[in-house]
Amino acid sequence: MADKYDVVVIGSGPAGYVAAIKAAQLGMNTACIEQWTDAKGDVQLGGTCLNVGCIPSKALLDSSQKFAETRDSLAVHGIAVNKPEIDVGAMLARKTKIVTQLTGGIAGLFKHNGVTSIAGKARVLLGTKVEVTDASGNVQVLEAKNIIIAAGSLPVNIPPAPIDNKHIIDSTGALALTEVPRRLGVIGAGVIGLELGSVWRRLGSEVVMLEALDEFLPMMDLQIAREAGKIFKKQGLDIRLGARVTKAEVKNNNVVVTWSSADGEHSETFDKLIVAVGRKPNSEGLFTSDSGVTLDERGFIYVNDHCETEAPHVYAVGDIVRGPMLAHKGSEEGIMVVERIAGEQAEMNYDCIPAIIYTHPEIAAVGRTEQELTADGVAYKTGVFPFAASGRALAANDSEGMVKLIAHAETDRILGCHIVGPSAADLVQQVVIAMEFGSSAEDLALTVFGHPTLSEALHEAALAVNGQAIHIANRKKR
Ligand code: FAD
Ligand code: NAD
C-alpha cells in the first residue's frame, strides 16, 4: 500500500524546506523529497541557496572583502601590514564547512519537527500522487492530500558559450575555482556576474564583464544603478555594455571570446569565462501531462496569487513560479501555502520583497523605482541622502553611495527605497517593515534614530522627501 501524507513537498531549497517544516509544525504528516546527493551518495538538503547559491557566494564575498580591505584600506587607519596573500584552498574549505553546517542543520530541523526526508527524483502524477525514483532506480508512489512543488531553477545556457566546467563555467564553477584567474571574463552583468566577478576581482583577477543590454542594471532605480556603475568602475570591474557574445572557444588552455557591439567586432582572451545570463525554471519532466499542472509561456509552473496550480491540491512555490528568483520570496510563499492548507486566510505581499546585490557597497531595493512610477503616471516625491554626509560612514571609511526614499506626492506613503552603500541590505529591511505597516515618509522622519548609525542616512532621506533634511542642503522650493 502506498504511504499517505497530508503534504508532500518536492525539493528542499528555501521554498521547499521551509514549507515542509511549517507543515509539520502545524501538525501535518509531511514528507520532503530531494534528488540532490553529495559525493558519498547521501541526500543533500538546502537546494541551490545553501549548496551553490546564497550561502557559498556570501562566504566567498566576505572572505574576499576582508582580503581586499587588508590590502587596500588599512593604511588610512594608520595600520601597516605586509602584502597579504590569499590561500584559495583555505577560503574554499571555509565555504564548504559553512555549507555543510547549514545543510546538516536542515536535516536536524526535519528530524526535530518530524518531516520525513525521502531521497529521489519526484514526478507528480494524476490525483495528487507522487512517484519517487531513487538513485538505484527503485520506484515508489506516495499518496498525498496536498503537493507543494518547489523544484527551483537552473542556470540558462547560451549556444555561443557552452559550459565545459573547466574553462567555461556557470555560477557553481565560479564558486569553486581553485586559483585566482589572471583574466576572468563574465557574460552577464547581472546579480551573479557582479557578485562573483567582485569576489575574483578583489583577489586580483582582471575582470571584464560582457553585458548584452545597453543599460546597466535596468531593473534597479536608474540613479542608484548609475552610482553603482561608477563605484564598480573605480574598483576595476570593466563592464562593457551592449556586448553580444557570438563565440567562446577554448584554445591553448584559454578561452577566446568574440562579441559584437555598436563599434564593431571584438575578441579577448581569458583564463576562465563565467556564464551568468539568468536562471530558468526547473520544470522539465516534473509532472505527467494528465496531472493537471500547467506551465506559463516562459516555462514557469502556472499559479495564481495563492500559488495554486491548475490541479486541485497541487501548489508550486519559489523559483519555479513567476516573480523574483529570491530565496526569501520562495520561503514566504511556502509559509503562505501551508497556512492556507491549514485553513488560514494567509496572503503574500508581493509589493514588499527586498532585493539585494551583495557587492561592496551593497545595492538594496524594495518597492517601486522612479522610472516605474513615471511610466505608470504616479505622482511621487524623492528624498536622497549621500553616505558622504554620514558621520558613521565617514568614521568607517565606507562612505560611497546614497539612500533614496520615494513617497507618494499627495499621501506621503512610502512607495520604494533604493540604496547603494554600506550595509544597504540591513538598511532597506527597515523600510520593508515600514512599508508593511503602511508608513508615510513623515512616520520615518518622526522616528528617533540612534547616533551615530548608518540608519541615520535613512532618517535624513525621509526628512529630505519633504524638504526637511538637517545634514544636507534641501532642494529649493520653486
Ligand atoms: P532551489 O533552491 O533551486 O531548490 C530546489 C530543490 O529541488 C533542489 O535541491 C533540487 O535538487 C530539488 N529538485 C528539483 N527537481 C526535483 C525532483 N524532480 N525531485 C526531487 N527534488 C527535486 N537568492 C537570495 O535571495 N539571496 C542571495 O544572496 C542569493 N544568492 C544566490 C547566489 C547564486 C550563485 C545563485 C545561483 C542563486 C542565488 N540566489 C539568491 C537565488 C536563490 O538561490 C534561489 O532563489 C533559491 O534557491 C530558490 O529556492 P527554491 O527552493 O525555489 O529552489
Ligand atoms: P540576472 O537576470 O540578474 O542577470 C543576467 C544578465 O545577463 C542580465 O543583465 C542580462 O541582460 C544579461 N544577459 C542575458 N543574456 C546575455 C547574453 N547572451 N550576453 C550577455 N549578457 C546577457 O541573472 P543572474 O545574474 O544569472 O542571476 C539569476 C537569478 O539568481 C537572478 O534572478 C537573481 O535574482 C538570483 N540571484 C540572486 C542573488 C541575490 O539575491 N543577491 C544573487 C545571485 C543570484
Side-chain angles (χ1 to χ4, degrees):
M1 238 223 357
D3 287 321
K4 180 121 190 171
Y5 291 96
D6 294 321
V7 176
V8 168
V9 180
I10 299 175
S12 71
Y17 83 74
V18 169
I21 290 172
K22 183 73 187 177
Q25 285 174 346
L26 294 182
M28 300 179 212
N29 181 17
T30 306
C32 181
I33 307 164
E34 176 55 62
Q35 64 184 4
W36 203 316
T37 50
D38 63 15
K40 286 184 283 170
D42 294 332
V43 67
Q44 189 78 358
L45 305 175
T48 303
C49 171
L50 267 62
N51 290 287
V52 292
C54 322
I55 299 301
S57 59
K58 266 76 257 179
L60 297 190
L61 279 157
D62 284 338
S63 296
S64 59
Q65 181 59 17
K66 285 198 190 313
F67 177 82
E69 272 175 17
T70 307
R71 184 190 54 205
D72 305 330
S73 310
L74 292 187
V76 72
H77 296 282
I79 304 169
V81 286
N82 290 332
K83 193 169 173 247
E85 283 176 17
I86 183 76
D87 177 344
V88 175
M91 180 181 77
L92 296 184
R94 188 189 86 94
K95 174 204 75 172
T96 304
K97 193 169 165 219
I98 297 162
V99 168
T100 308
Q101 183 181 341
L102 290 174
T103 53
I106 305 294
L109 286 171
F110 274 8
K111 216 170 180 183
H112 175 77
N113 286 288
V115 174
T116 304
S117 181
I118 299 174
K121 189 173 170 60
R123 193 163 68 125
V124 178
L125 312 176
L126 173 69
T128 56
K129 286 191 175 63
V130 181
E131 175 194 85
V132 187
T133 309
D134 73 13
S136 316
N138 301 316
V139 179
Q140 61 170 319
V141 175
L142 309 178
E143 277 195 40
K145 289 188 190 148
N146 301 281
I147 298 171
I148 303 176
I149 305 174
S153 61
L154 299 168
V156 167
N157 296 315
I158 49 170
I163 305 293
D164 67 3
N165 288 321
K166 193 163 176 231
H167 294 93
I168 307 178
I169 55 182
D170 60 15
S171 56
T172 301
L175 290 167
L177 290 174
T178 50
E179 53 189 59
V180 179
R182 198 180 60 79
R183 296 205 84 223
L184 175 66
V186 183
I187 308 184
V191 191
I192 292 179
L194 287 169
E195 290 188 0
L196 297 181
S198 292
V199 165
W200 298 104
R201 171 69 199 141
R202 291 168 189 171
L203 299 179
S205 292
E206 275 176 43
V207 177
V208 177
M209 305 184 66
L210 304 171
E211 166 59 51
L213 297 177
D214 293 327
E215 211 160 331
F216 179 56
L217 293 179
M219 71 294 194
M220 291 281 170
D221 185 89
L222 288 185
Q223 186 178 6
I224 297 297
R226 239 174 263 140
E227 180 73 11
K230 280 190 227 156
I231 295 170
F232 296 148
K233 193 171 176 193
K234 269 203 282 174
Q235 293 176 357
L237 287 178
D238 182 353
I239 301 168
R240 318 257 176 101
L241 298 175
R244 272 163 286 278
V245 173
T246 47
K247 197 153 87 177
E249 248 187 324
V250 178
K251 273 189 196 163
N252 305 326
N253 208 22
N254 284 314
V255 196
V256 181
V257 182
T258 310
W259 72 93
S260 63
S261 56
D263 55 351
E265 287 276 321
H266 306 266
S267 175
E268 288 208 30
T269 304
F270 302 105
D271 303 12
K272 301 279 178 191
L273 178 69
I274 302 174
V275 181
V277 294
R279 293 179 65 83
K280 60 179 181 191
N282 181 21
S283 51
E284 221 179 281
L286 198 57
F287 48 87
T288 53
S289 54
D290 61 358
S291 66
V293 179
T294 54
L295 300 181
D296 70 15
E297 63 287 351
R298 294 184 304 151
F300 291 91
I301 290 185
Y302 171 78
V303 289
N304 63 15
D305 286 351
H306 295 139
C307 293
E308 294 164 334
T309 69
E310 296 204 293
H313 303 288
V314 181
Y315 305 82
V317 294
D319 279 12
I320 202 156
V321 301
R322 82 284 174 268
M325 287 183 165
L326 296 171
H328 42 284
K329 173 258 190 186
S331 300
E332 289 306 316
E333 286 179 332
I335 298 270
M336 171 186 69
V337 162
V338 170
E339 287 180 343
R340 292 187 76 84
I341 291 171
E344 295 172 29
Q345 294 302 308
E347 299 285 340
M348 165 110 187
N349 184 357
Y350 284 96
D351 295 334
C352 265
I353 301 175
I356 300 127
I357 306 180
Y358 291 87
T359 43
H360 191 93
E362 293 169 347
I363 306 172
V366 62
R368 316 291 310 278
T369 62
E370 257 199 84
Q371 63 267 24
E372 284 169 348
L373 292 167
T374 305
D376 290 353
V378 178
Y380 64 87
K381 48 192 176 175
T382 64
V384 174
F385 189 79
F387 284 102
S390 151
R392 191 75 188 91
L394 287 169
N397 190 37
D398 201 357
S399 58
E400 286 183 307
M402 61 178 80
V403 175
K404 175 175 186 175
L405 197 72
I406 308 182
H408 194 279
E410 277 114 48
T411 65
D412 197 43
R413 193 178 174 130
I414 299 171
L415 299 176
C417 180
H418 309 276
I419 306 175
V420 53
S423 301
D426 292 303
L427 294 183
V428 95
Q429 193 60 43
Q430 302 180 38
V431 181
V432 177
I433 297 168
M435 287 175 72
E436 278 289 350
F437 283 89
S439 294
S440 61
E442 188 188 27
D443 289 328
L444 271 192
L446 290 173
T447 303
V448 181
F449 282 72
H451 175 75
T453 56
L454 294 172
S455 302
E456 286 171 304
L458 188 56
H459 189 213
E460 287 282 344
L463 286 161
V465 166
N466 290 308
Q468 294 167 353
I470 300 292
H471 293 90
I472 44 160
N474 288 296
R475 263 176 302 200
K476 292 219 169 62
K477 290 201 179 89
R478 286 163 212 267

